[in-house]
Amino acid sequence: MTLQNIGVIGAGTMGNGIAQTCALCGFDVVMQDIAQAPLDNGMKTIQKSLDRLVGKEKISTADYEAALARLKTTTDINAMEDRDLVIEAASENIEIKLGVFTQLNKICPDSTILATNTSSLSLTRIAAASGRADRVVGMHFFNPVPLMALVEVIRALQTSDKTYNAIETLANSLGKTPVSVKDSPGFVVNRMLVPMINEAVFILYEGLAQAEDIDAAMKLGAAHPMGPLALADMIGLDVCLWVMNVLHEEFGDSKFRPCPLLKQMVDAGYLGRKTGRGFYQYGG
């Protein structure tokens, strides 16, 4: 199964990163969002990212221009009607995702593969509601998409070998390293990473060490490139809490209980870099 025409649903951080990566690797891409403003912001982000790559001599000016020429934007989801693959990168909300997949099933040809970039939600549930369960798969990219090598390729219970193999081949053609994962809450990376972040928040909450010392300990003692609390600020504390709640609810295990301080930070609107304050202060 050859995939050439790719659709991306969502122009946010993950969506525009996926669209850029696909376009730069020679694929015809349509990026869709529900309004023009996020599309404009997404394109500005892509252009800045490509500018940096040109400045670092990672790509040529010709590569830059060719990538932008392959990338189109629209607010009309019906533009997905001629896509070989559609990658959904909408909000991490199961009802929103189920609605998108229901629409795509009506719009797209029977042969179209529908992928989701979900970081923690049930692929099997999404597949069951899609109307084409054997052609639904997870493609969990990591932020920033153009730079991070990993893609978790997640099989729903219903995903066919043909679908999985096509997405594994595509991930390789995008210069990524695919890791095969069965459907389970949090998959591989987030099931390990976010509880580690949550435990770091507990250490801070209990007053065992200050944020800077917790992060320094993991950087110097475990060779992590970034401390867990600084990483939480980069990911977004609301996202970390969301993943912990999914793990806690789905597994019913107290080891996944979110730290009260994490809940308080989110309630206060201290979400990390995107709000200028998390475990650290950002901006002016």
Side-chain angles (χ1 to χ4, degrees), residues 50-68:
L50 292 173
D51 280 335
R52 285 194 296 269
L53 292 174
V54 171
K56 294 178 180 179
E57 299 184 344
K58 300 288 186 182
I59 63 173
S60 67
T61 301
D63 293 330
Y64 171 101
E65 293 173 350
L68 290 181

Side-chain angles (χ1 to χ4, degrees), residues 14-94:
M14 298 305 293
N16 69 59
I18 294 167
Q20 174 188 321
T21 299
C22 293
L24 195 56
C25 290
F27 295 91
D28 177 79
V29 181
V30 174
M31 181 170 67
Q32 184 269 346
D33 211 310
I34 58 174
Q36 191 60 43
L39 289 171
D40 292 341
N41 290 335
M43 287 304 300
K44 287 178 184 176
T45 299
I46 289 171
Q47 289 170 332
K48 288 180 182 177
S49 176
L50 292 173
D51 280 335
R52 285 194 296 269
L53 292 174
V54 171
K56 294 178 180 179
E57 299 184 344
K58 300 288 186 182
I59 63 173
S60 67
T61 301
D63 293 330
Y64 171 101
E65 293 173 350
L68 290 181
R70 296 185 196 103
L71 178 55
K72 297 177 177 61
T73 64
T74 183
T75 57
D76 185 4
I77 197 171
N78 288 297
M80 299 297 146
E81 64 184 0
D82 65 345
R83 302 290 94 183
D84 302 319
L85 165 69
V86 180
I87 304 171
E88 171 273 317
S91 299
E92 191 73 348
N93 177 296
I94 188 64

Side-chain angles (χ1 to χ4, degrees), residues 88-123:
E88 171 273 317
S91 299
E92 191 73 348
N93 177 296
I94 188 64
E95 299 304 328
I96 290 174
K97 291 185 186 295
L98 293 178
V100 168
F101 273 73
T102 298
Q103 284 183 284
L104 291 173
N105 186 52
K106 295 175 182 176
I107 294 165
C108 299
D110 291 343
S111 59
T112 301
I113 293 175
L114 304 182
T116 175
N117 182 58
T118 182
S119 61
S120 58
L121 297 173
S122 169
L123 257 293

Side-chain angles (χ1 to χ4, degrees), residues 61-277:
T61 301
D63 293 330
Y64 171 101
E65 293 173 350
L68 290 181
R70 296 185 196 103
L71 178 55
K72 297 177 177 61
T73 64
T74 183
T75 57
D76 185 4
I77 197 171
N78 288 297
M80 299 297 146
E81 64 184 0
D82 65 345
R83 302 290 94 183
D84 302 319
L85 165 69
V86 180
I87 304 171
E88 171 273 317
S91 299
E92 191 73 348
N93 177 296
I94 188 64
E95 299 304 328
I96 290 174
K97 291 185 186 295
L98 293 178
V100 168
F101 273 73
T102 298
Q103 284 183 284
L104 291 173
N105 186 52
K106 295 175 182 176
I107 294 165
C108 299
D110 291 343
S111 59
T112 301
I113 293 175
L114 304 182
T116 175
N117 182 58
T118 182
S119 61
S120 58
L121 297 173
S122 169
L123 257 293
T124 298
R125 182 176 174 187
I126 293 171
S130 71
R132 57 180 73 199
D134 63 314
R135 291 183 298 287
V136 170
V137 67
M139 286 191 82
H140 182 210
F141 293 83
F142 290 79
N143 186 33
V145 176
L147 301 180
M148 298 293 279
L150 178 65
V151 176
E152 289 180 324
V153 182
I154 304 139
R155 289 178 181 264
L157 190 64
Q158 311 95 315
T159 304
S160 70
D161 289 342
K162 184 178 180 181
T163 296
Y164 174 84
N165 291 336
I167 296 304
E168 183 179 54
T169 298
L170 174 68
N172 281 312
S173 71
L174 295 175
K176 305 301 185 185
T177 301
V179 172
S180 180
V181 183
K182 292 181 180 179
D183 184 25
S184 182
F187 313 125
V188 171
V189 172
N190 280 339
R191 181 167 169 182
M192 293 186 290
L193 179 65
V194 181
M196 181 197 74
I197 290 171
N198 191 57
E199 196 62 29
V201 181
F202 265 115
I203 291 171
L204 180 65
Y205 177 62
E206 293 166 11
L208 301 183
Q210 297 300 308
E212 294 84 354
D213 292 329
I214 294 167
D215 281 352
M218 290 306 291
K219 288 191 289 184
L220 300 175
H224 287 201
M226 180 182 290
L229 299 177
L231 180 58
D233 279 356
M234 187 176 77
I235 293 170
L237 272 61
D238 53 338
V239 176
C240 294
L241 179 58
W242 169 265
V243 174
M244 287 306 301
N245 282 331
V246 169
L247 294 173
H248 194 211
E249 180 180 346
E250 294 296 326
F251 287 113
D253 191 325
S254 62
K255 73 180 181 181
F256 294 120
R257 71 203 185 285
C259 177
L261 178 59
L262 181 59
K263 294 180 180 180
Q264 290 170 350
M265 297 282 281
V266 172
D267 286 343
Y270 302 155
L271 307 183
R273 288 181 179 271
K274 59 189 172 185
T275 60
R277 179 173 178 179

